[in-house]
Amino acid sequence: MTCSYATQDHRSIDNKDESVRLSLNYSNDDLSVSSKTPDLSSTELLISNSVILNDQNPVSNPRIAKSCFLSTFIFLINFISSILVINLSKWIYVKHHFPNLTLTTMNFFITFLLLLVCLQLKLFAHVRLPIPSMIPVSICFGGFIAFSNLSLQYNTVGTYQLIKLQVTPTVMLVSWLFFKAYYPLPIVFSFIPVLVGTLISTYYDLQFNMFGLFCALMSVLFTAMYQILVEHSQNVHNCNALQLLLYQAPLSGLLLLCFVPFFEPLNDLEKFMNYDTILLILLCGFIAFFVNLTIFWVIGNLSPVAYNMIGHTKTLLIILVGSILFHEALNIKQIFGLGFTMFGVFIYTYFKYIRKPTK
């Protein structure tokens, strides 16, 4: 499934993925890159100290090399798994015809089990959260993942990815209407080409259908609501995304399980349960979980600009791989729409992180 669970880090469109994102939410604004340049004497002092330390501690170089290797390895896992999880989910829907909501529900419980393993390994600490206050965010979480996967099933990968980019302007609109948030005009205007490009690409999609568009729009709405509620919940309960996800995943799975029998009769499930399909479902769940787990390191160790540029690269690669893997040919008008959309996204990144406008 597209289990890139949104995190607070992704609530600004820096979300790029997303996703299936099971998408975990952190604020990219928490990351800062120092632009202060040290004077010459400070630089000389730093070089001198570095030489002295290297002479005194010859083990430091192997440690640095080991750290660089580990960082590169974690980054590659995140980059590759983010691309794989969406196309693998699409493969399960299209090639194996596995019921969508059932797969979504199963992945919620796979995520919960893997989180319990991480808890036992002390990768994060357990905190007690009130169950009633978790229900609204779990409903939005379930709706966001379920409609995202339905969008992926009934739309091309390109249309699915481009419509996901509308989450940030939706969050901005809601924040402006209800929370009086301020956004500089250059950032607001940057979403005009994002919206127009998406409309062009979607309209000329040869596999366009109204139900797929409805699911995509609902996924945008639920994702925006989810991101706002996650930020609120983390602030109120003073918890991180993994601690919150430990409650969200099983609650969302149980809530969705109540609706599955009405849309996907469980008595037909046995005809889909063969060895290959079960293996792909487990693999999809594991890959999606590693997307969520490694995103902590990626956001913590990259500057906002680098993180966004890599996110945009992943978006383009997901569309390219999807069009090749599922024979979803892009016509010239769709390519123009895609290019126009990405132009708007890069403009947004420029004004948001490189040339930060003042109020």
Side-chain angles (χ1 to χ4, degrees):
M1 82 178 258
T2 317
C3 304
S4 294
Y5 299 122
T7 65
Q8 184 179 349
D9 292 313
H10 295 26
R11 71 177 186 276
S12 27
I13 214 176
D14 332 331
N15 88 8
K16 349 316 184 223
D17 2 334
E18 331 156 133
S19 171
V20 120
R21 158 144 77 57
L22 303 160
S23 295
L24 304 166
N25 275 8
Y26 283 102
S27 174
N28 287 331
D29 294 331
D30 293 340
L31 307 174
S32 60
V33 182
S34 175
S35 59
K36 184 178 179 181
T37 305
D39 54 33
L40 184 59
S41 59
S42 299
T43 304
E44 292 171 344
L45 182 60
L46 287 172
I47 294 174
S48 175
N49 289 338
S50 176
V51 172
I52 294 172
L53 288 174
N54 285 336
D55 290 339
Q56 293 176 346
N57 186 15
V59 186
S60 62
N61 285 337
R63 286 180 178 174
I64 293 173
K66 183 178 179 181
S67 176
C68 291
F69 174 79
L70 180 62
S71 298
T72 304
F73 180 70
I74 294 174
F75 170 75
L76 286 176
I77 289 177
N78 176 266
F79 189 84
I80 296 172
S81 59
S82 298
I83 297 172
L84 281 178
V85 69
I86 290 178
N87 290 289
L88 181 57
S89 299
K90 180 81 172 181
W91 184 272
I92 294 173
Y93 300 141
V94 173
K95 303 298 182 180
H96 292 262
H97 307 287
F98 195 85
N100 192 304
L101 295 180
T102 303
L103 178 62
T104 304
T105 305
M106 293 173 68
N107 275 281
F108 281 139
F109 291 116
I110 291 175
T111 298
F112 176 62
L113 293 175
L114 292 174
L115 283 170
L116 290 178
V117 173
C118 291
L119 187 62
Q120 292 300 314
L121 296 174
K122 302 186 183 305
L123 295 182
F124 67 97
H126 177 261
V127 295
R128 290 187 177 274
L129 300 177
I131 300 297
S133 65
M134 294 295 101
I135 293 178
V137 69
S138 297
I139 291 174
C140 291
F141 183 51
F144 138 57
I145 296 297
F147 279 110
S148 291
N149 287 337
L150 287 169
S151 171
L152 181 60
Q153 180 178 0
Y154 290 99
N155 293 313
T156 61
V157 175
T159 296
Y160 162 81
Q161 280 294 116
L162 290 181
I163 294 181
K164 276 179 63 178
L165 294 177
Q166 310 309 313
V167 171
T168 293
T170 304
V171 171
M172 290 170 59
L173 179 62
V174 172
S175 299
W176 177 70
L177 288 175
F178 297 101
F179 302 102
K180 307 302 179 184
Y182 168 84
Y183 299 99
L185 283 180
I187 290 179
V188 175
F189 288 148
S190 71
F191 285 106
I192 294 177
V194 172
L195 178 60
V196 173
T198 301
L199 289 175
I200 293 173
S201 184
T202 303
Y203 180 80
Y204 289 104
D205 189 342
L206 298 179
Q207 299 182 32
F208 172 81
N209 67 86
M210 288 302 298
F211 181 71
L213 178 62
F214 169 77
C215 291
L217 294 177
M218 290 300 294
S219 74
V220 169
L221 179 62
F222 271 102
T223 304
M225 293 168 56
Y226 169 69
Q227 292 182 1
I228 293 172
L229 286 176
V230 162
E231 179 185 2
H232 174 74
S233 297
Q234 289 182 334
N235 292 334
V236 169
H237 301 294
N238 192 26
C239 60
N240 63 36
L242 281 179
Q243 292 167 334
L244 191 60
L245 188 59
L246 184 64
Y247 286 84
Q248 289 173 211
L251 282 174
S252 297
L254 290 173
L255 290 169
L256 199 57
L257 193 60
C258 298
F259 294 93
V260 168
F262 297 100
F263 297 95
E264 300 170 352
L266 297 179
N267 55 356
D268 294 336
L269 193 58
E270 58 182 18
K271 67 182 182 182
F272 299 103
M273 301 304 289
N274 54 66
Y275 176 79
D276 292 340
T277 304
I278 293 175
L279 185 62
L280 286 175
I281 291 172
L282 293 175
L283 181 61
C284 184
F286 273 101
I287 292 175
F289 181 75
F290 279 112
V291 172
N292 297 318
L293 199 60
T294 56
I295 200 66
F296 286 99
W297 180 91
V298 172
I299 293 192
N301 289 272
L302 292 178
S303 70
V305 177
Y307 175 74
N308 276 270
M309 291 299 103
I310 292 167
H312 305 336
T313 304
K314 286 193 289 188
T315 296
L316 293 172
L317 283 176
I318 288 169
I319 294 174
L320 177 62
V321 172
S323 65
I324 295 173
L325 191 61
F326 301 104
H327 306 290
E328 298 171 344
L330 296 172
N331 58 53
I332 189 65
K333 294 176 181 177
Q334 282 183 280
I335 294 174
F336 172 77
L338 171 62
F340 201 50
T341 299
M342 296 310 298
F343 169 74
V345 171
F346 280 105
I347 292 297
Y348 168 84
T349 302
Y350 173 77
F351 282 108
K352 178 72 175 177
Y353 297 111
I354 300 176
R355 181 186 172 186
K356 295 183 179 180
T358 58
K359 294 185 181 182

